[in-house]
Amino acid sequence: MSNTNPKPRIALIIGSTRAARFADAPATWMFKQAEARDDMDVELVDLRDFDLPFFDEIASNAFVPSQNLEAVRWQETIAHFDGFIFTVAEYNHSLTGALKNALDQAYTEWNHKPYTAIGYGGVGAARAIEHLRLIGIELQMVSTHAAVHIGGSDFFTVFPAVGNQPIETIEQNLIPSAKAALDELVWWAKATMVARASAA
């Protein structure tokens, strides 16, 4: 690498595509936390901008190249990043179908890269984020220990159908976990960048 200490490139992936999604609020807040740091470059990646079909390839691109052009565009997009922040909604104790499908549409592009998450819901998307961690293991990714959970009364304070308050109303409850998650993400991103470069 020409730069001996490059800043990791991090994608903040909005993991819901519903017209009535709440994801934009936590995504915008988390993006601001990441953007304020000087140890990473963060970019917003919205699944709405990718017309991904349900996974219908012959096999994972770990084995054969994908044929769908939008899937290839998705793979090329995430290949440029060194780590990821996922916004995670919890639907029926798991993550959204849109996010699961996006994860399934690539393999090698996720390998040996870290990720963290900001989840929201009655229990802060805790169960969905645990499912995300299991998926990440199979994709040969590295999960941070810390994540941001907007749950309980905090969630109902900001959820539009209830309190409809800005996330800044509750951010003092979120900042410690956001800092921990981003600190860990940068540590792992730098470590895996060196490891991937040495294996190239």
Side-chain angles (χ1 to χ4, degrees), residues 55-97:
F55 182 76
D56 192 30
E57 299 289 340
I58 296 171
S60 162
N61 76 328
F63 305 107
V64 293
S66 297
Q67 300 301 305
N68 183 275
L69 295 180
E70 196 67 356
V72 173
R73 184 170 78 92
W74 170 245
Q75 294 162 8
E76 291 172 345
T77 297
I78 61 174
H80 294 299
F81 294 101
D82 303 302
F84 306 93
I85 305 165
F86 295 102
T87 66
V88 180
E90 182 163 310
Y91 296 174
N92 300 318
H93 290 205
S94 191
L95 65 167
T96 67

Side-chain angles (χ1 to χ4, degrees), residues 152-174:
S153 61
D154 280 346
F155 175 66
F156 291 112
T157 295
V158 299
F159 189 58
V162 187
N164 200 29
Q165 297 297 308
I167 286 190
E168 287 72 20
T169 306
I170 61 163
E171 71 175 359
Q172 289 307 311
N173 300 334
L174 308 178

Side-chain angles (χ1 to χ4, degrees), residues 9 14 36 41 54 74 84-85 97 102 113 121 128 133 143 192 195:
R9 293 190 61 200
I14 302 180
D41 290 324
F54 285 118
W74 170 245
F84 306 93
I85 305 165
K113 296 178 183 179
R133 287 176 170 139
S143 173
T192 53

Side-chain angles (χ1 to χ4, degrees), residues 89-170:
E90 182 163 310
Y91 296 174
N92 300 318
H93 290 205
S94 191
L95 65 167
T96 67
L99 179 53
K100 178 61 167 67
N101 185 54
L103 291 162
D104 291 342
Q105 293 284 0
Y107 186 82
T108 56
E109 295 79 10
W110 299 119
N111 290 175
H112 309 140
K113 296 178 183 179
Y115 63 98
T116 193
I118 177 168
Y120 52 91
V123 297
R127 296 163 297 206
I129 290 175
E130 283 304 296
H131 281 189
L132 176 64
R133 287 176 170 139
L134 290 173
I135 296 164
I137 290 169
E138 183 59 27
L139 293 173
Q140 301 188 50
M141 301 178 78
V142 182
S143 173
T144 61
H145 176 267
V148 183
H149 298 274
I150 305 173
S153 61
D154 280 346
F155 175 66
F156 291 112
T157 295
V158 299
F159 189 58
V162 187
N164 200 29
Q165 297 297 308
I167 286 190
E168 287 72 20
T169 306
I170 61 163

